[in-house]
Amino acid sequence: MTREYLRRTLVPLIVLALAFGPGLSGCGYKRYVQNSTYDYGTKQKSDPKMLGSRMYGAATANPYQHDNHWVEYSSILSADVSNINGVAAALVFLTDKNAYVGMTLDWTATGTKKTGGAGSREQDNTGSNEGVYNVDNGSPYWNNQRIAGPYNSYFTVNDHNQISSELKQTIAVQIRRIAPTVQEVHISANQEFVNHLVQYAQEAWAGRPLAPWHDSFNQLVKHQFEGGNEVPAPINVQKLQHAGSAGGTIGSDLQH
């Protein structure tokens, strides 16, 4: 049973059952939905999703907060965040200081983006109706090094500040419940960011250490969350560069 099947069939059935169930008024149903993780846009004062202190974003004045000493991919946290309503897929990385989340969004919840309607979407998914990937040139091919793209893809948000604060709070609370020692939780649905992260995840899935890519990871998160000037090359490009400079092997400098 696919996630798309659940979204199209089970979720509407649940909503109908709640809407017309005995003893639940229209007003009560509206509040129920607003308080649930199907709605991240209403910002009600009593919304349980926003009770307590803010759990995401910068929490310290440490100018070296993104100078992480190690990084690891968390399959448990990635699966947990991916199961949150509104999130299509998530990649979560832990460091000695922080948790970093790169994600794509879907339509299993409303209000995941703060502003903008259908016209502000970054994806054009009309090609699926024509059996192609790229509706502009008719190409059926997808780059498997990417988790998101401009065509036939789950949704991305260029500016992480445009992601609903309720959604970010929901994600951060879940992460801190499992990883309570995390100092800060940083969340983005930026297309370039998540496509970089999927290559770090692929290294972990293949059983390879992330230590060789530690510096480039720090450069990536600084660019995304601290306004850094440079984005590192994707890992597959870095591998080619180092292979060329080391006579066909990755240089020993990558082992430190």
Side-chain angles (χ1 to χ4, degrees):
M1 186 177 294
T2 66
R3 186 185 183 99
E4 184 66 16
Y5 174 83
L6 291 173
R7 183 181 70 82
R8 291 184 175 180
T9 59
L10 297 187
V11 171
L13 288 174
I14 292 170
V15 170
L16 285 173
L18 289 171
F20 297 103
L24 188 61
S25 68
C27 182
Y29 164 68
K30 180 179 179 181
R31 173 52 63 91
Y32 173 85
V33 173
Q34 290 174 347
N35 289 349
S36 74
T37 55
Y38 289 107
D39 186 339
Y40 298 107
T42 53
K43 298 181 176 63
Q44 298 289 331
K45 290 184 178 179
S46 59
D47 191 325
K49 296 190 294 294
M50 296 304 291
L51 296 179
S53 59
R54 181 168 61 87
M55 296 292 185
Y56 62 89
T60 72
N62 182 3
Y64 307 107
Q65 189 65 36
H66 297 293
D67 288 326
N68 303 290
H69 295 135
W70 53 263
V71 58
E72 66 180 20
Y73 169 76
S74 174
S75 58
I76 294 175
L77 286 172
S78 296
D80 281 353
V81 175
S82 296
N83 286 327
I84 292 175
N85 291 323
V87 178
L91 300 168
V92 182
F93 291 81
L94 294 175
T95 74
D96 53 301
K97 300 182 182 73
N98 308 316
Y100 296 95
V101 181
M103 64 182 180
T104 54
L105 305 174
D106 59 24
W107 295 124
T108 56
T110 63
T112 52
K113 188 176 178 182
K114 285 183 178 180
T115 60
S120 68
R121 294 177 189 169
E122 299 177 10
Q123 276 68 40
D124 182 348
N125 292 342
T126 57
S128 60
N129 298 325
E130 303 175 24
V132 299
Y133 163 66
N134 186 328
V135 71
D136 289 337
N137 62 21
S139 171
Y141 299 109
W142 168 266
N143 182 345
N144 62 7
Q145 292 292 328
R146 298 167 64 86
I147 194 174
Y151 305 98
N152 288 350
S153 170
Y154 282 118
F155 303 102
T156 57
V157 179
N158 182 56
D159 182 355
H160 65 85
N161 294 304
Q162 281 296 310
I163 300 172
S164 164
S165 56
E166 292 187 9
L167 175 56
K168 288 192 284 190
Q169 181 79 349
T170 299
I171 293 170
V173 167
Q174 179 65 13
I175 287 176
R176 290 180 182 278
R177 184 179 294 122
I178 298 173
T181 60
V182 163
Q183 295 175 19
E184 295 183 354
V185 179
H186 296 276
I187 303 166
S188 176
N190 175 275
Q191 186 175 146
E192 182 179 40
F193 182 67
V194 298
N195 284 331
H196 271 74
L197 286 187
V198 74
Q199 293 201 9
Y200 293 93
Q202 287 171 337
E203 291 295 297
W205 296 336
R208 295 188 286 267
L210 293 183
W213 316 110
H214 168 262
D215 289 341
S216 68
F217 182 88
N218 282 349
Q219 186 181 17
L220 176 66
V221 296
K222 286 179 182 179
H223 177 268
Q224 183 63 204
F225 300 108
E226 203 175 68
N229 293 326
E230 296 184 11
V231 182
I235 286 179
N236 61 338
V237 174
Q238 292 186 59
K239 285 183 175 181
L240 290 174
Q241 292 171 342
H242 285 284
S245 64
T249 60
I250 296 178
S252 60
D253 58 316
L254 283 179
Q255 307 304 316
H256 301 286

